[in-house]
Amino acid sequence: MYTQFFGNYLLSKGYVTNEQLFSAMQKQSNEHMRLGTLAIHAGYMTASEVDQTIIQQTHEDKKFGELAIDMGYLTNDQVLELLRSQSPDFLLLGQVLVDEGILTNSDLENIIADYRSQNELIDLDMTQDSHDNIMKLLDNFFIMSETPLSHYGHMYLELLFNNFIRFVGEDFTPLTSEECDAFPVECCIRQRVIGEYEIASYINMDEETAIAFASRYVGDTFTEYDEYVRASMEDFLNLHNGLFIVNVSNDSSLELKISAPEAIDDPIVEFEHRTYHFPMLYSFGIVHFLYEVVKTCE
Amino acid sequence: MKIDEAKILISDDSILARKQLKDIISSLGTPTFVEASNGQAAIDKYKEEKPDLVFLDIVMPEKDGNIAIQEIMAYDPKAEIIIASSVGTQSQLKCALEAGAKDFIQKPIDKDQVIKVVTAFLERR
């Protein structure tokens, strides 16, 4: 499910360019996971064994699994297990990059090992979108060592990622987050969360991206930036913040409120409080999410 | 009551939410719709149009949904109000039901749930 984090990792390490990632993300949905990739991921085969098996396939008309068994790389049970297993989405992205010739199987093997160790995910089941997994990934990607995220900050961002996945689509990569004092905006909506914990949330994107965002969010086709597109952005923000305060009220006795979403007309927003910028790279454009911490109760 | 005879006030600051509710309800028939985009407009429209059923958002500019329920119920204690909001906290729910709301729909708007509450309303009338 968390392909986006793997995409960010590949970008930050310089394995792929923005354009290559974009292209791979678009192709990913039409691809099927191959046994060789799954076997590397499971640690049953090395990249070189997979490559050997693929070479052998050019000589013998057999399926990859049969050949890998013949060559002693896999057992029958392992093949059955791999065929039954649910593969993590990030692996498919890796496989597309191998197909595109951007990575080799050997690169992919090393990258998976490094990615797992960096994210302390060695023994975790990547297909489970468990609370702990997300928290670890968030901690690693939004390194804010000077001001670590508060409990509610974590809750907010975890929900934000889930809501982007649920309501817009999981094919996004969070680009490097940063603190900022001001931000130039184009189509921007703000909504405040008010109470003992206060934030101002902003969602901003260019018109083309907004049209594509709204089309996905509503499940309709918009062709121009109009009041429905703007209302879709407001609705997403309102839905996300509404669910956040529901979660907070379930988690503690804190009762927060939200203001009505409002469009920002100024070309630049200047922030009075510490503000984090989370850019999300979707195949249709970049969605900028800004999170201004006005008052914290922790 | 038959759906085609019903007058329904949809009060939400989001034009999108209003459209979604109208589209869903229209799958049952052709009621008369009245719209309001803030709490004060909802109160004014209620008095002016006397709708049979009201959908009300909580978070709205001018007057919020909670104040709007109280004022509408004070004007007409028999008003049929359904809250449709993303803010489904325990206290919001309690507040809305105490003020006299008949039902609460948590956003995102779910078609089946809207049809269920509208059908239940039609059977009550």
Side-chain angles (χ1 to χ4, degrees):
Chain A
M1 169 161 295
Y2 295 96
T3 307
Q4 55 277 14
F5 295 104
F6 186 59
N8 178 288
Y9 167 85
L10 293 172
L11 269 184
S12 66
K13 294 279 178 181
Y15 288 118
V16 295
T17 63
N18 268 359
E19 291 72 28
Q20 288 170 333
L21 182 62
F22 243 104
S23 162
M25 282 163 70
Q26 284 170 332
K27 286 177 183 153
Q28 192 184 341
S29 53
N30 300 321
E31 289 289 316
H32 297 289
M33 187 58 71
R34 283 196 299 273
L35 203 60
T37 313
L38 286 170
I40 292 175
H41 176 248
Y44 290 158
M45 286 176 81
T46 65
S48 122
E49 289 169 345
V50 169
D51 288 340
Q52 285 300 320
T53 311
I54 291 168
I55 291 167
Q56 192 59 33
Q57 261 188 306
T58 62
H59 304 301
E60 279 187 70
D61 184 24
K62 281 190 175 177
K63 287 182 180 168
F64 182 95
E66 292 174 61
L67 271 178
I69 293 169
D70 289 351
M71 293 165 84
Y73 296 141
L74 292 176
T75 65
N76 205 27
D77 285 346
Q78 282 173 332
V79 171
L80 290 175
E81 182 199 320
L82 291 174
L83 290 173
R84 276 196 302 263
S85 67
Q86 274 195 308
S87 57
D89 279 358
F90 80 81
L91 206 53
L92 197 53
L93 182 62
Q95 184 179 283
V96 173
L97 291 165
V98 171
D99 292 345
E100 297 289 303
I102 296 160
L103 301 176
T104 64
N105 268 327
S106 181
D107 289 333
L108 186 61
E109 182 179 42
N110 293 334
I111 289 169
I112 288 171
D114 191 38
Y115 173 64
R116 287 171 138 188
S117 70
Q118 283 218 353
N119 293 294
E120 301 173 50
L121 291 165
I122 296 162
D123 294 315
L124 298 176
D125 181 358
M126 291 294 286
T127 60
Q128 275 189 337
D129 58 344
S130 73
H131 177 82
D132 286 351
N133 274 7
I134 303 167
M135 286 306 199
K136 277 180 185 150
L137 288 162
L138 282 177
D139 278 342
N140 281 351
F141 279 96
F142 305 121
I143 299 164
M144 298 165 194
S145 50
E146 285 176 28
T147 49
L149 273 179
S150 64
H151 173 63
Y152 291 123
H154 261 131
M155 274 178 74
Y156 193 86
L157 291 175
E158 185 187 359
L159 181 68
L160 181 69
F161 279 98
N162 282 327
N163 284 338
F164 268 107
I165 290 167
R166 283 163 71 192
F167 301 119
V168 188
E170 60 182 309
D171 56 330
F172 70 89
T173 294
L175 303 175
T176 307
S177 61
E178 58 185 4
E179 276 191 48
C180 55
D181 301 324
F183 196 79
V185 296
E186 192 173 333
C187 306
C188 184
I189 307 293
R190 171 174 60 202
Q191 185 173 41
R192 299 179 189 281
V193 173
I194 306 154
E196 285 183 55
Y197 180 74
E198 285 198 17
I199 58 161
S201 58
Y202 304 77
I203 190 165
N204 173 61
M205 54 198 98
D206 62 39
E207 282 193 9
E208 287 300 312
T209 306
I211 293 164
F213 173 91
S215 300
R216 276 205 185 185
Y217 178 65
V218 179
D220 207 336
T221 306
F222 297 106
T223 52
E224 58 179 333
Y225 185 76
D226 58 13
E227 56 186 341
Y228 285 102
V229 171
R230 200 178 77 183
S232 306
M233 292 169 62
E234 290 176 353
D235 206 87
F236 174 80
L237 202 55
N238 192 50
L239 183 61
H240 167 62
N241 286 321
L243 291 173
F244 171 67
I245 69 172
V246 172
N247 282 359
V248 169
S249 80
N250 289 335
D251 180 66
S252 64
S253 57
L254 218 56
E255 283 291 340
L256 305 175
K257 290 184 173 177
I258 50 179
S259 67
E262 53 189 329
I264 304 281
D265 296 323
D266 298 332
I268 293 180
V269 183
E270 291 185 9
F271 305 108
E272 290 176 29
H273 307 275
R274 192 179 290 276
T275 302
Y276 303 107
H277 169 215
F278 299 103
M280 319 268 186
L281 173 68
Y282 268 101
S283 52
F284 55 80
I286 299 179
V287 176
H288 300 274
F289 195 91
L290 294 122
Y291 174 77
E292 182 179 15
V293 183
V294 179
K295 186 167 86 180
T296 177
C297 55
E298 295 165 286
Chain B
M1 178 182 259
K2 286 181 182 157
I3 183 74
D4 294 356
E5 296 163 3
K7 186 185 278 188
I8 302 175
L9 168 61
I10 296 181
S11 180
D12 199 305
D13 55 327
S14 166
I15 189 173
L16 180 72
R18 297 201 301 271
K19 180 180 182 299
Q20 286 174 326
L21 278 170
K22 281 193 296 180
D23 287 350
I24 295 169
I25 297 167
S26 296
S27 70
L28 293 171
T30 51
T32 305
F33 289 112
V34 180
E35 294 182 45
S37 60
N38 64 59
Q40 185 58 52
I43 298 161
D44 296 343
K45 287 279 182 189
Y46 190 91
K47 292 177 179 174
E48 200 179 302
E49 300 279 349
K50 311 271 188 310
D52 302 297
L53 178 64
V54 182
F55 280 90
L56 200 62
D57 184 19
I58 297 274
V59 181
M60 287 191 290
E62 311 246 345
K63 283 182 179 172
D64 74 19
N66 283 327
I67 295 172
I69 306 176
Q70 287 167 14
E71 293 199 20
I72 291 172
M73 293 305 292
Y75 172 78
D76 177 7
K78 290 183 178 170
E80 291 265 355
I81 301 175
I82 291 159
I83 300 295
S85 172
S86 62
V87 191
T89 62
Q90 199 66 27
S91 69
Q92 279 290 3
L93 187 64
K94 188 164 167 274
C95 188
L97 295 177
E98 272 175 2
K102 293 283 187 294
D103 218 326
F104 193 105
I105 294 174
Q106 165 88 50
K107 289 181 182 173
I109 293 167
D110 175 64
K111 185 179 179 183
D112 293 343
Q113 206 185 351
V114 173
I115 286 179
K116 203 170 124 192
V117 298
V118 173
T119 308
F121 154 76
L122 294 170
E123 283 169 3
R124 277 201 299 275
R125 296 291 281 258

